[in-house]
Amino acid sequence: METLSSKQIKQTLLQILVWFRDYCESKGYRYYITGGTLLGAVRHGGFIPWDDDIDVLMPADDYAKFIHDDFADTPYRLLSFDLDGQSTTAITKLYDPNTLVQAERHTKYPIGLHIDIFPLFPLGATLKDARALQKKVRVPITCKSWLIAEKFNPPKNKLLYLPKWFGSKAAKLYGLKRALKKLEKARAKYTLSQSNYVGHINGVFRECVEKWQYESPSEVTFEGEVFKCCADPHKFLTGFYGDYMTLPPETQRVNHGFTVYVKD
């Protein structure tokens, strides 16, 4: 199989993101680039040079429609535990089936190169409400991730594997059914009309921002393409990263360490 270069990986990811944008706009679905993708757009005009992933948000109602769409006649496929209860990742992924990602946490359940899609939920009227809800779901989120996520390879230093081993055992005691029940209850606790804050509560990436940030989205250029994002990227990025225009130390400029192949 042909191995993709870093440049080719980013080109493929951009193709997936552009297709996702066009698809959402054709269906009337709302979406927003977020996290490191938004940071890269604002600070670098595209990918953070050492980064190699894409994060997008969708309001919960649009997300629910999107994951139930039929992708059989499209160039991409969807992997979502929220859809089938069987997928091996807690984060919904739109992936290229003609590629194969090999990384430490993807060896047992391989997947193609993908973008990560997070649902955006109402979190309550006050910041206190929102933070309390996010704190409440931290344990079930972690247990869900341990119980359904890709299996990790033991690192060379076996001592580093111990936290993963203990975490897996604790998650099994907690139980997947219990975790899913608590997460479903949290998702339904507030309606959008009741909430001034929204955020993501369904995986390791959590955010909490004022609802107005997504009521009148702005646009940003990423690798020459225009995408929707929150209304005030500066406020969002400052809240997430602090002085986001200052580059991190070189020791922290690392990618996800995976290899991508094109299938024969």
Side-chain angles (χ1 to χ4, degrees), residues 78 130 132 173-174 190 209 226 229 253:
L78 196 72
L173 289 174
Y174 191 88
Y190 300 110
V209 298
V226 178
C229 67
R253 302 177 195 178

Side-chain angles (χ1 to χ4, degrees), residues 199-247:
H200 171 58
I201 58 172
N202 195 40
V204 293
F205 183 85
R206 288 184 293 273
E207 70 168 60
C208 174
V209 298
E210 294 164 295
K211 182 172 65 175
W212 62 263
Q213 280 277 29
Y214 296 111
E215 290 179 327
S216 300
S218 60
E219 294 181 335
V220 67
T221 299
F222 182 90
E223 298 294 338
E225 296 281 349
V226 178
F227 299 96
K228 293 287 195 302
C229 67
C230 58
D232 187 347
H234 172 69
K235 182 174 183 179
F236 176 91
L237 292 170
T238 300
F240 255 70
Y241 301 104
D243 182 14
Y244 62 89
M245 293 301 290
T246 299
L247 296 179

Side-chain angles (χ1 to χ4, degrees), residues 133 214 250:
L133 185 62
Y214 296 111
E250 289 191 19

Side-chain angles (χ1 to χ4, degrees), residues 71-115:
F71 293 92
D73 294 326
T74 75
Y76 303 112
R77 298 292 179 267
L78 196 72
L79 186 69
S80 177
F81 186 87
D82 289 337
L83 176 62
D84 57 28
Q86 298 178 353
S87 298
T88 55
T89 174
I91 300 172
T92 294
K93 301 176 185 295
L94 183 69
Y95 69 94
D96 181 350
N98 296 314
T99 62
L100 179 65
V101 174
Q102 286 195 347
E104 186 170 298
R105 62 178 300 166
H106 289 282
T107 52
K108 186 168 183 179
Y109 303 106
I111 186 177
L113 198 57
H114 54 271
I115 65 173

Side-chain angles (χ1 to χ4, degrees), residues 9-246:
I9 289 173
K10 291 178 180 179
Q11 288 174 336
T12 303
L13 287 172
L14 180 61
Q15 289 171 359
I16 301 173
L17 181 60
V18 167
W19 183 91
F20 171 79
R21 176 201 64 192
D22 294 345
Y23 181 84
C24 286
E25 291 179 353
S26 72
K27 302 279 285 191
Y29 297 155
R30 295 160 294 172
Y31 78 91
Y32 320 94
I33 64 170
T34 190
T37 308
L38 179 58
L39 173 60
V42 173
R43 192 171 68 193
H44 303 278
F47 284 99
I48 297 173
W50 54 90
D51 197 17
D52 45 23
D53 70 348
I54 296 285
D55 296 318
V56 298
L57 290 168
M58 298 184 77
D61 52 348
D62 289 336
Y63 170 85
K65 296 173 185 176
F66 175 81
I67 64 173
H68 284 90
D69 283 348
D70 184 1
F71 293 92
D73 294 326
T74 75
Y76 303 112
R77 298 292 179 267
L78 196 72
L79 186 69
S80 177
F81 186 87
D82 289 337
L83 176 62
D84 57 28
Q86 298 178 353
S87 298
T88 55
T89 174
I91 300 172
T92 294
K93 301 176 185 295
L94 183 69
Y95 69 94
D96 181 350
N98 296 314
T99 62
L100 179 65
V101 174
Q102 286 195 347
E104 186 170 298
R105 62 178 300 166
H106 289 282
T107 52
K108 186 168 183 179
Y109 303 106
I111 186 177
L113 198 57
H114 54 271
I115 65 173
D116 291 331
I117 304 172
F118 299 89
L120 194 65
F121 290 99
L123 298 180
T126 68
L127 183 59
K128 183 178 180 180
D129 291 337
R131 293 303 188 196
L133 185 62
Q134 289 184 319
K135 183 178 180 180
K136 189 174 183 178
V137 299
R138 194 171 298 162
V139 170
I141 283 173
T142 302
C143 289
K144 175 188 173 185
S145 298
W146 276 114
L147 292 168
I148 72 173
E150 299 91 339
K151 304 299 182 183
F152 287 87
N153 279 339
K156 293 180 180 179
N157 183 345
K158 301 301 182 184
L159 290 177
L160 297 177
Y161 188 64
L162 288 177
K164 295 180 174 63
W165 186 86
F166 282 114
S168 178
K169 297 298 181 183
K172 288 179 180 178
L173 289 174
Y174 191 88
L176 181 59
K177 185 175 181 180
R178 180 183 178 188
L180 294 177
K181 184 176 181 180
K182 286 185 175 292
L183 287 174
E184 189 60 34
K185 184 177 180 180
R187 287 180 171 189
K189 183 170 183 178
Y190 300 110
T191 65
L192 195 59
S193 62
Q194 293 173 323
S195 299
N196 294 318
Y197 287 85
V198 294
H200 171 58
I201 58 172
N202 195 40
V204 293
F205 183 85
R206 288 184 293 273
E207 70 168 60
C208 174
V209 298
E210 294 164 295
K211 182 172 65 175
W212 62 263
Q213 280 277 29
Y214 296 111
E215 290 179 327
S216 300
S218 60
E219 294 181 335
V220 67
T221 299
F222 182 90
E223 298 294 338
E225 296 281 349
V226 178
F227 299 96
K228 293 287 195 302
C229 67
C230 58
D232 187 347
H234 172 69
K235 182 174 183 179
F236 176 91
L237 292 170
T238 300
F240 255 70
Y241 301 104
D243 182 14
Y244 62 89
M245 293 301 290
T246 299

